[in-house]
Every structure is written in C-alpha cells, then in structure tokens.
Amino acid sequence: MPGFVLFCLLSAFLTSGNSLVCEVCKSKEASCSGTLQTCEDSEHVCSTMVAEYRIGGIMFTRSFKECMETSPICDFIPFSMTFRPSIAMRTTFNCCSTDGCNSVQPELPEVSRTPNGFECPSCFALGASRCGYMDTLQCSGNEDHCFEITGTLMIGNFNFTKSSAGCGTAGTCSKKVGSHRYSKNVVDVLTKVKCSPALQAGSTRTEL
C-alpha cells in the first residue's frame, strides 16, 4: 500500500509539472505584458491577439495574451479589412505551445491608403443577417481580396449580429464558417463567409 500511495503522489507531481505556462494580460493598447501563469490541463496553447478598429475618426485597440485550448484562430493569417472608407480593422494572432512563448509581441499588418486599382462590393450593417445594399469600395494597399461575412460577435455578455463586405488582405480568406474564439471573452460565430481575389476597378462582377 505505501508503494501505491507513493506512486500516486509522484504521478500527480509529474502531471502538474507538465502544465503549460503562458504570459497572461489584456490591454487597450497594441501590446501588453503580464505575469506567467500556469494553464489548465485542457489548455495547450499560449495565444496572443491584437486588434485595431477604426470607425470614423475613432480608433481603439485591444490586445490579449492567454492560455487557451487549441483554436481555429491558430490557423489564421494576420489580416486587414476595410468595410467602408471610414470603417476598417486589422488584427494579428499568434499561437505557440512552449512555456512563456507568447511573450513576443506580434506586429499588426501594415495599412496603406494608396489605391491599388481593385474594387469590391461594400457594406457594414449592425443587427442585420444580410447586407441589403452594396456600395462599391476602391481597395488600397495590400487589400486585394473581396469578402462578405455575416455572424454574431460575442464579447462577454454582449452579443451583436453584423453583416459586412469590402476589401481585405489575403489573410481575410482564412476565416471560415463556424465558431472562432479570439480570446476567452471574445467569440465570433460566422454563418456566412465568402472571399475571393478582387477584380480590377471597372470590371463586371456578378457574384462575390
């Protein structure tokens, strides 16, 4: 019996010693730093997310570093998206699986307002399950893909449905229909995702 008890104690010690350790923090800036914390047994990834939103003349940024279960966002490519000339976002993600590996701060995609000769259908509608009307948006910089995305964004206890379309970088096409957990308190449930290379301005597009 004593041998069995010793075996159990050793097993518990070794199991706890194998838990992943990640930097954990959140900020309203483009970077954050925090303490190293031991993850839960079900959490196998150290994640970092940085997102910047521009709505009219207002700019706000959020950054998170956390322990997370493996998430589809780990396969995302950093991207920027423009819905209207005055509404845009850019974001970057990083996932790794060694102790403290998310201490490195990822860079947001560069943004350029120089027209690139492409155009896309454009809309941004809150509380709507589809875009009722599309404008034409002149694309700029590295945003040479057209997207149309509908879903519900859940931030803590606050949920809102949104439909959007516009110009995006190639990384926008890494979004897929389904649930995407950007952080423990931010989940995007996408019900429609279309993404394709943009056409030259003036070309005829029958469908995205």
Side-chain angles (χ1 to χ4, degrees), residues 29-73:
E29 305 293 335
S31 64
C32 71
S33 60
T35 59
L36 294 176
Q37 298 185 20
T38 301
C39 303
E40 299 292 334
D41 290 341
S42 60
E43 297 171 330
H44 306 293
V45 168
C46 296
S47 70
T48 303
M49 184 196 82
V50 182
E52 180 186 86
Y53 304 86
R54 177 169 57 87
I55 302 175
I58 301 173
M59 189 89 72
F60 62 97
T61 306
R62 296 290 185 272
S63 58
F64 301 89
K65 292 182 180 180
E66 300 176 298
C67 299
M68 284 183 64
E69 298 179 9
T70 301
S71 169
I73 70 163

Side-chain angles (χ1 to χ4, degrees), residues 18-19 76 98 117 127 150 163-164 171 174:
N18 289 332
S19 297
F76 280 12
T98 58
T150 298
S163 294
S164 61
S174 59

Side-chain angles (χ1 to χ4, degrees), residues 2 6 25 34 55 62 65 129 132 139 141 152 156 184 190 199:
L6 179 60
C25 62
I55 302 175
R62 296 290 185 272
K65 292 182 180 180
S129 59
C139 302
T152 299
K184 290 182 177 179
L190 303 181
L199 296 181

Side-chain angles (χ1 to χ4, degrees), residues 11 22-23 25 60 64 68 78 109 115 146 153 165-166 187 189 192 195:
S11 297
C22 301
E23 184 177 7
C25 62
F60 62 97
F64 301 89
M68 284 183 64
C146 296
L153 184 64
V187 180
V189 181
K192 177 181 181 180
C195 187

Side-chain angles (χ1 to χ4, degrees), residues 1-130:
M1 184 64 67
F4 177 75
V5 172
L6 179 60
F7 173 78
C8 291
L9 290 173
L10 286 173
S11 297
F13 174 77
L14 290 173
T15 300
S16 62
N18 289 332
S19 297
L20 184 64
V21 175
C22 301
E23 184 177 7
V24 175
C25 62
K26 59 182 178 179
S27 170
K28 294 182 180 180
E29 305 293 335
S31 64
C32 71
S33 60
T35 59
L36 294 176
Q37 298 185 20
T38 301
C39 303
E40 299 292 334
D41 290 341
S42 60
E43 297 171 330
H44 306 293
V45 168
C46 296
S47 70
T48 303
M49 184 196 82
V50 182
E52 180 186 86
Y53 304 86
R54 177 169 57 87
I55 302 175
I58 301 173
M59 189 89 72
F60 62 97
T61 306
R62 296 290 185 272
S63 58
F64 301 89
K65 292 182 180 180
E66 300 176 298
C67 299
M68 284 183 64
E69 298 179 9
T70 301
S71 169
I73 70 163
C74 293
D75 298 324
F76 280 12
I77 301 170
F79 60 85
S80 67
M81 307 164 70
T82 301
F83 312 98
R84 300 282 196 190
S86 60
I87 304 176
M89 72 166 293
R90 55 179 179 153
T91 187
T92 187
F93 305 91
N94 183 54
C95 296
C96 53
S97 55
T98 58
D99 287 348
C101 58
N102 65 335
S103 60
V104 177
Q105 189 67 32
E107 295 291 331
L108 284 166
E110 291 186 4
V111 172
S112 169
R113 296 300 159 206
T114 303
N116 59 20
F118 296 103
E119 64 181 18
C120 293
S122 164
C123 82
F124 188 80
L126 291 177
S129 59
R130 62 185 296 272

Side-chain angles (χ1 to χ4, degrees), residues 148-150 172-173 175-178 190-195:
E148 184 177 349
I149 298 175
T150 298
T172 305
C173 295
K175 284 176 169 280
K176 307 296 180 185
V177 169
L190 303 181
T191 55
K192 177 181 181 180
V193 178
K194 290 186 177 181
C195 187

